[in-house]
Amino acid sequence: MPGSILIVEDDAMIRDVADRILTGAGYSVAPVASGAAALDLLKRVRFDLVLLDIHMPNMSGLDLLDHMRRLYVKVPVVMMTADREMSTVAAARERGCIGYVVKPFLPDTLVDRVKKALVRT
């Protein structure tokens, strides 16, 4: 049962690929390139899931998670990143992240992680 997904990714190619994969799987997708754009959208639109890059300029994914908590935005978050450092994973989980997708990802892996995250919530 598809849902609505906010993709927050500064790399246009990765953002576009994730958008096409998830749209093809039946999800409603809103892709944005920055944490600021994501915050603006999260204040106005309810999403079922956020796919969030950790390393972005100006506002990192971890910073965005902090802002979301301060604004009481309750939406499950799955991180998308090439960063495999345990300290980064732990920091994301401490801020409420429920899953992790390692880049580069295969289409089936991304869809599977999204399905699992949506079932958990």
Side-chain angles (χ1 to χ4, degrees):
M1 74 170 84
S4 60
I5 300 171
L6 174 61
I7 298 173
V8 187
E9 169 63 61
D10 62 310
D11 184 308
M13 186 179 74
I14 294 170
R15 190 174 58 246
D16 183 56
V17 167
D19 182 1
R20 282 188 278 127
I21 290 168
L22 294 172
T23 299
Y27 295 96
S28 172
V29 179
V32 297
S34 70
L39 274 178
D40 181 56
L41 206 50
L42 285 164
K43 290 175 186 175
R44 298 180 286 116
V45 180
R46 184 192 176 285
F47 292 94
D48 297 312
L49 182 70
V50 174
L51 284 177
L52 177 58
D53 184 19
I54 290 179
H55 298 291
M56 296 184 295
N58 302 320
M59 182 188 305
S60 74
L62 297 177
D63 292 338
L64 178 57
L65 283 170
D66 289 338
H67 284 292
M68 289 170 63
R69 270 205 306 203
R70 282 195 294 277
L71 293 171
Y72 301 104
V73 173
K74 303 286 185 199
V75 60
V77 175
V78 172
M79 304 306 283
M80 288 191 312
T81 186
D83 188 337
R84 297 171 192 233
E85 289 293 320
M86 291 310 297
S87 59
T88 305
V89 173
R93 291 204 185 271
E94 286 171 8
R95 289 167 169 84
C97 169
I98 65 166
Y100 200 82
V101 177
V102 177
K103 296 187 288 189
F105 47 79
L106 295 172
D108 289 345
T109 301
L110 180 61
V111 172
D112 183 58
R113 292 276 165 41
V114 166
K115 282 181 185 176
K116 286 180 180 172
L118 289 171
V119 166
R120 283 182 63 181
T121 57

